[in-house]
Structures are given as C-alpha cells and as structure tokens.
C-alpha cells in the first residue's frame, strides 16, 4: 500500500488540497446566508438561492467534464473555484454574487469528477477506503471554515477572498497531480444506467445539501444565535470528518449499500430526536451519518454501472439534481412549519429513504 501511495502521490496530494477547499467554500454558505440577506436587503430565506447556485454550478462542471472526459485536470477545478470565490468576495451585488457562486460551483463539480473515480480505480481493492479518506478532507475544510468566518467578523467577502487566495496558491502547485490519473478510456465494462441507484443518490445528496446549507438557519429559528449556529455547523463537520476517517478502516469490509442504509437510518433517528429534544446536539450527530451518504452511494453506483468514462459524471449528476432542487423546495416548505419544521421534513425524508433502502439492500449489495 505504501508503494502505491508513493507512486500516486501527486494525485493524492492534489485531491486532498482541493477537497479541503471545497469543504471550506460550501460550509461558509450556511452561516453566511443571514449576512448576505442583510447586505443585499433580501427577505429572510431568499439567501437559499446562493446554495442552489452553487449546485447549479456543480452541474455545469459535471456536464463540462462529461463532454471533455479525461481532458479535465486539477488545475481546471482549482482555477475555476478561484475565479468564482473571488467574484463573491468582490461583492458585485446580488446577481453578481449569484454568478460567482455558480462559477465556484462549476469548479466544485469538476473536482468531484476529476478525483473520485481516479482514486477508486487507482487504489484498486483499497479504493473505497481511499475514497473515504479523500472525502474526509472535505470535512477538514468544512470544520475550520465556519470558525474562521466568525473570527473574521462574520464577513462573507473576506472569507471568500481568503478561499480565492488559497485556491490560487494551490493552483500553482497542482501540476504535479495532472498526469497521475489512470487512463479513463481503458474501461473494461459497458456504460449501464441504473435509475434506482441514481434515485438513492439524488435523495442523499439533497438531504446533505439541506443539512449544510439550511441547517444553521433552522438552528437560529429554534432560538440559537448566529454564532452558536456557526459553531454547531463546525461540530457537524467534525462528526462528518470522523465518520469518513472511520470509513477508511472498514469501507472495504462492509457492503457499500449497507453503509448507505445504516447511515440514513441513523440520520432519521437523529432528526426525530431533534424534534423533541434540544436540536443542536442531534444536528451534530446527523453530521456523522451524513458523512457516509456519498461514499456508500458512489461505490454502490460505480460497481453496478461500470467504469466507462461517462459513469462518474452520470453518478455525480444524479446527486446534483437533489443538491440543486432540495434547498429551494425545503426552504419554501419550512417557512410555514414553525421553528422545528426543518427537522420534521428531514425526519420524514430520511425515514422514508431508510425504509426503501432496507427493502432493496440485499439486491443492491449483490450488484
């Protein structure tokens, strides 16, 4: 294993650095939404469109990667994220900020397609564990970013300016990982579409997007301050990170869809507890379960659909459908449901998904 890591060090380092910044950029949106709404004179809740803009950009990045195939490299992802975050930092009005979020999200989408399939294929039998490690690095950035945001006076422009600078610095060093990817054209399986598996991905990424983007606002509605909500989001990502680090140890031992099903059940139980007890601690616990959603789904889908170059963009695109639509839909529904309405919706979604996953677990684990 050590020799394999040394032989692919460029890919691994570039992936780790990129995913740290992806986590930092996405996690800032949650605590920054009230600040953006004040700055641009928006009605409470309208800031959620920034989250959807991020995911629309991600879909754009996935589409570009689908068309260009293995021509996409780490520098494309980092350069695009740098430009997008710099535009948000410049504060060019509401529509300009939305555009910056779309561009940042485009780099985010490119990153997922560039790194995830390459890590899974490069590290062979240990691929699921290394995929967990890579995605754990997302959690590192996501933990630190809300705390830095508060330390910088809850100023979104300064925070995104810092992300833009770091993206630019890492862009300069990313060349070492450009050519470390396995040949994407050397696929050994046909391109297969599995709609049921893709639907599970749409649901889990939608839930994850809502927890990250709308969770802090839900905590504020339940009576917490903006600072407390930001701190709880960091704690959410600590749990998120710990679960993905643990995944490195057991992902190659436990069937991927079993991981998905158990994590969804745990999130459902946590959401129910948040309804009747203090929501803060159970929001954090949900972070641990949410950290397992994507790896469980991605490995299941990859093994069922093959290693054709179009498979990875298709899998990511299925998740983005949920990431784009869920914050807008849930944000609109929550408005008339009281201070715990968000947790009622999350409990219903995760509970229904758990029931469906349990019915399909044996079949999908065989695939």
């Amino acid at each position: 294993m050590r020799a394999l890591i040394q032989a692919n060090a460029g890919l691994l380092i570039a992936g780790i650095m990129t995913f740290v910044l992806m986590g930092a950029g996405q996690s800032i949106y949650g605590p920054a939404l009230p600040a953006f709404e004040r700055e641009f004179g928006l009605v409470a809740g309208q800031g959620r469109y920034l989250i959807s803009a991020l995911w629309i950009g991600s879909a754009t990045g996935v589409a570009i990667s689908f068309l260009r195939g293995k021509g996409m490299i780490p520098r494309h992802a980092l350069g695009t994220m740098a430009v997008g975050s710099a535009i948000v930092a410049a504060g060019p009005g509401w529509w300009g900020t939305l555009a910056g979020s779309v561009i940042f999200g485009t780099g985010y989408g490119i990153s997922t397609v560039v790194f995830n399939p390459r890590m899974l294929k490069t590290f062979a039998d240990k691929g699921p564990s290394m995929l967990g490690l890579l995605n754990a690095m997302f959690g590192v950035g996501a933990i630190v970013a809300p705390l830095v945001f508060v330390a910088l006076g809850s100023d979104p422009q300064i925070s995104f300016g810092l992300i833009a600078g770091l993206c630019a610095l890492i862009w300069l060093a990313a060349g070492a990982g450009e050519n470390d990817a396995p040949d994407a054209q050397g696929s050994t399986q046909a391109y297969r579409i599995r709609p049921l598996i893709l639907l599970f991905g749409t649901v889990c990424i939608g839930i994850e997007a809502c927890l990250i983007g709308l969770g802090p606002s839900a905590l504020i509605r339940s009576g917490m301050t903006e600072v407390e909500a930001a701190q709880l989001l960091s704690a959410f990502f600590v749990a998120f990170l710990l679960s993905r680090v643990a995944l490195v140890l057991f992902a190659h031992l436990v069937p991927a869809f079993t991981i998905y099903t158990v994590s969804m059940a745990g999130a459902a139980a946590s959401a129910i507890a948040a309804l009747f007890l203090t929501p803060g601690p159970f929001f954090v616990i949900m972070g641990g379960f949410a950290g397992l959603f994507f790896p469980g789904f991605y490995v299941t889908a990859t093994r069922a659909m093959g290693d054709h170059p179009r498979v990875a963009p298709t899998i990511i695109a299925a998740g983005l459908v949920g990431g784009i639509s869920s914050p807008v839909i849930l944000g609109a529904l929550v408005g008339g449901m009281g201070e715990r309405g968000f947790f009622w919706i999350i409990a219903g979604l995760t509970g229904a998904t758990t029931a469906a996953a349990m019915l399909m677990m044996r079949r999908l684990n065989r695939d």
Side-chain angles (χ1 to χ4, degrees), residues 26 29-30 33 45-61 94 97-106 108 205-206 209-210 212-214 319-332:
Q26 182 176 344
Y29 278 101
L33 288 188
Q46 284 187 327
R48 68 183 184 273
Y49 290 107
L50 281 170
I51 302 170
S52 288
L54 172 73
W55 290 99
I56 289 170
S58 295
T60 302
W94 172 238
T97 300
L98 279 175
S101 295
V102 170
I103 295 171
F104 178 81
T106 301
Y108 186 111
I205 299 303
C210 289
I212 295 171
L214 302 180
L320 291 176
V321 172
I324 292 167
S325 61
S326 294
V328 173
I329 296 171
L330 266 67

Side-chain angles (χ1 to χ4, degrees), residues 62-152:
V62 170
I64 292 170
S65 300
F66 184 92
L67 295 174
R68 291 205 58 185
K70 72 171 192 173
M72 304 306 297
I73 59 176
R75 277 187 167 174
H76 289 140
L78 285 160
T80 306
M81 288 196 296
V83 171
S85 52
I87 292 173
V88 175
W94 172 238
W95 291 107
T97 300
L98 279 175
S101 295
V102 170
I103 295 171
F104 178 81
T106 301
Y108 186 111
I110 294 170
S111 298
T112 60
V113 176
V114 166
F115 290 107
N116 281 305
R118 300 181 188 196
M119 293 291 287
L120 191 60
K121 187 171 182 179
T122 297
F123 291 96
D125 291 343
K126 297 292 185 180
S129 295
M130 296 305 292
L131 186 74
L133 174 63
L134 178 66
N135 284 274
M137 295 302 102
F138 176 96
V140 172
I143 291 166
V144 174
L147 299 178
V148 172
F149 175 77
V150 171
L152 294 175

Side-chain angles (χ1 to χ4, degrees), residues 226-354:
E226 291 182 15
V227 171
E228 289 172 336
Q231 292 170 339
L232 284 167
L233 183 61
S234 282
F236 173 100
F237 278 113
V238 169
F240 190 97
L241 172 62
L242 290 176
S243 69
R244 286 195 169 174
V245 170
L247 196 62
V248 175
L249 302 177
F250 66 81
H252 58 291
L253 301 174
V254 180
F257 199 70
T258 297
I259 293 173
Y260 178 99
T261 304
V262 171
S263 63
M264 193 63 65
S270 300
I272 292 170
L275 288 171
F276 302 105
L277 302 171
T278 303
F282 294 101
F283 175 73
V284 173
I285 293 171
M286 274 190 277
F289 292 112
L292 302 178
F293 288 170
F294 176 77
F297 156 63
Y298 188 87
V299 174
T300 300
T302 299
R303 288 178 172 169
M305 293 173 61
D307 64 356
H308 189 280
R310 291 183 176 178
V311 166
T314 302
I315 294 171
I316 300 300
L320 291 176
V321 172
I324 292 167
S325 61
S326 294
V328 173
I329 296 171
L330 266 67
L333 292 174
V334 164
M337 295 185 64
E339 65 179 29
R340 303 286 175 99
F342 174 81
F343 296 104
W344 277 110
I345 294 175
I346 294 296
L349 280 173
T350 52
T353 305
T354 299

